[in-house]
Amino acid sequence: MRFFRKLFGFYINSSIHVALSVYALVQLTQILFSISNDFATSYFAFFGTIVGYNFVKYDALARTKKVQMSFQLKGIAFLSFLSLIATGYYFLQLEKTTQIIGFVFLAITLLYTLPFFPNKKNARNWAGFKIYIVALCWVGVTLFLPIINNHLPFTSYVFLVAAQRFILIFVLILIFEIIDLRLDDPHLKTVPQQIGVSKTKRVGVALMVLFVLLEFLSADFRIAFFALKSALAITTILFLLFSNEKRSRYYASFWVESIPVFWWILILFLNCVYDIC
């Protein structure tokens, strides 16, 4: 049992689970826009997420030598190195335009992590910016990269999906911010720090209602898909309402981050049974 607990901890701490969530959203994009055999974008997003998230989480600690290289951290470093090689390989399989856009999100990640200017904090510590940067990167990687790589037009439906996905990621991050309220630096000015937990939850609920209502703007409105997104919104709202500072670390880092995965699996199932996509 202890072995499996450590293995599960490594799975979470090494960012494999969050990378699976990103991969799931890329797969959702491919289903929604009838994209097939675009393995390069999917695996670039998966391995790139492992590299990016681990870099964000452990770079500052490594540079300041505030943490000793435990066996788990060495394993994470080795996994990140292998993922970097895989990211580079799949990056070379992308279209040239997609590579340029990929570089843009890489620059955002670096800006998010590293202080480029003397005596200045990185973007991660810019008051109030963190949630928007993360949500933007998720939308860009999971939606725009597959669209661009497959030369699809930027229709109104693409921007509708982008708005819905931004809202979903934004609300999921709100849950993290509520749980991390005790640990976050007050100068970060996260949403719960600025308006309080109760108002944050109300904002999140309102956004998820908007998430569902936006589906009515789709030119290809389908009842089955609307019902699915309503179920997704209700699930997210429940996780939001029951979130608090005393929740287990796995409440957000496993269960909340599993929402995109469950969404993807459910759409795959419904797509096979009812052919809704």
Side-chain angles (χ1 to χ4, degrees), residues 70-81:
S70 65
F71 180 77
Q72 185 178 102
L73 281 176
K74 289 179 181 178
I76 291 174
F78 182 66
L79 174 65
S80 300
F81 175 71

Side-chain angles (χ1 to χ4, degrees), residues 64-277:
T64 57
K65 298 181 179 180
K66 290 183 179 179
V67 63
Q68 294 182 343
M69 289 294 286
S70 65
F71 180 77
Q72 185 178 102
L73 281 176
K74 289 179 181 178
I76 291 174
F78 182 66
L79 174 65
S80 300
F81 175 71
L82 294 180
S83 297
L84 180 62
I85 295 175
T87 302
Y89 172 79
Y90 287 110
F91 175 82
L92 295 176
Q93 312 305 312
L94 299 174
E95 298 288 330
K96 293 297 183 182
T97 305
T98 316
Q99 290 178 349
I100 295 173
I101 302 300
F103 264 122
V104 171
F105 288 111
L106 172 63
I108 293 175
T109 301
L110 292 175
L111 182 65
Y112 181 73
T113 308
L114 300 174
F116 277 88
F117 305 102
N119 302 318
K120 297 291 184 181
K121 295 182 178 180
N122 54 33
R124 193 181 187 188
N125 294 312
W126 292 353
F129 271 82
K130 173 183 174 182
I131 190 169
Y132 301 103
I133 293 175
V134 175
L136 176 63
C137 286
W138 274 65
V139 173
V141 170
T142 66
L143 178 62
F144 292 138
L145 285 191
I147 293 294
I148 294 170
N149 200 58
N150 288 274
H151 308 288
L152 298 180
F154 276 78
T155 62
S156 58
Y157 183 61
V158 171
F159 292 103
L160 174 63
V161 174
Q164 288 180 311
R165 194 161 297 182
F166 186 91
I167 289 172
L168 176 63
I169 301 304
F170 190 92
V171 174
L172 294 182
I173 298 173
L174 289 181
I175 299 174
F176 276 86
E177 291 190 343
I178 290 173
I179 293 174
D180 293 339
L181 190 57
R182 283 185 306 168
L183 304 175
D184 281 339
D185 186 333
H187 295 96
L188 282 178
K189 293 186 178 180
T190 63
V191 176
Q193 287 174 342
Q194 294 186 77
I195 66 176
V197 172
S198 296
K199 289 184 178 179
T200 297
K201 291 182 177 181
R202 288 199 289 270
V203 168
V205 170
L207 286 174
M208 290 313 299
V209 171
L210 177 61
F211 170 87
V212 174
L213 293 178
L214 284 173
E215 192 64 20
F216 286 109
L217 298 179
S218 174
D220 188 23
F221 179 83
R222 287 164 284 185
I223 292 295
F225 207 53
F226 176 78
L228 180 59
K229 287 197 174 180
S230 298
L232 173 70
I234 292 171
T235 302
T236 305
I237 287 172
L238 289 175
F239 272 108
L240 174 67
L241 294 179
F242 285 100
S243 62
N244 59 62
E245 300 169 56
K246 296 181 181 180
R247 286 292 179 187
S248 162
R249 58 185 290 238
Y250 296 126
Y251 182 86
S253 60
F254 179 75
W255 292 109
V256 172
E257 285 185 347
S258 295
I259 290 177
V261 180
F262 292 142
W263 187 17
W264 170 46
I265 293 173
L266 189 55
I267 283 187
L268 281 177
F269 173 76
L270 293 176
N271 192 35
C272 291
V273 176
Y274 299 107
D275 192 26
I276 66 169
C277 294

